[in-house]
Amino acid sequence: MFELTGRTGIVTGASSGIGYAIAKVLAEGGAKVYAISRSGSVKIEGAEALPGVVHLAGDVCDYPRMAELVKTIGETDGIDFLVNNAGITVKGRAESFADEDFEKIHQVSIGVLV
């Protein structure tokens, strides 16, 4: 399919769901993937850490922590790609949706890495 041997990157929100699947495909293609999530571990019942995937704890809204991770990864392996996948949601009716909830969703979704 494609060859990523020798490439290194970051996938945020990679402890489960789409982020986990993205990290898996990239690692299967030969890449070293740093999977950054709030938990820093796989959250899928029965699933194990994947070969080529390194799980690290980091909240995309904690900019100093993210800057530290990016700096460390960059100095150690270089960074060839970034997949901003982290996301959250708050369920509720539109007429009672709090502004703070909207702001938090937006902050996580843009996931700015310094």
Side-chain angles (χ1 to χ4, degrees):
M1 182 174 15
F2 55 89
E3 179 61 41
L4 295 173
T5 301
R7 304 292 186 180
T8 300
I10 296 170
V11 179
T12 64
S15 62
S16 64
I18 294 170
Y20 180 86
I22 292 169
K24 179 180 180 191
V25 169
L26 292 169
E28 287 171 349
K32 180 173 186 178
V33 180
Y34 286 92
I36 299 176
S37 64
R38 290 177 294 171
S39 69
S41 61
V42 178
K43 295 191 319 186
I44 302 169
E45 189 174 324
E48 298 178 9
L50 302 165
V53 179
V54 178
H55 287 270
L56 300 173
D59 185 329
V60 295
C61 295
D62 180 350
Y63 298 153
R65 172 69 176 148
M66 294 308 292
E68 173 190 324
L69 287 171
V70 168
K71 182 175 190 259
T72 301
I73 294 166
E75 289 174 348
T76 303
D77 294 307
I79 299 173
D80 298 300
F81 61 86
L82 166 66
V83 179
N84 278 328
N85 174 71
I88 62 170
T89 189
V90 176
K91 296 180 181 179
R93 296 185 54 88
E95 65 269 14
S96 61
F97 201 79
D99 289 343
E100 300 82 39
D101 290 337
F102 176 78
E103 291 298 324
K104 184 65 176 181
I105 290 167
H106 184 69
Q107 185 181 23
V108 171
S109 295
I110 63 170
V112 176
L113 291 176
V114 184

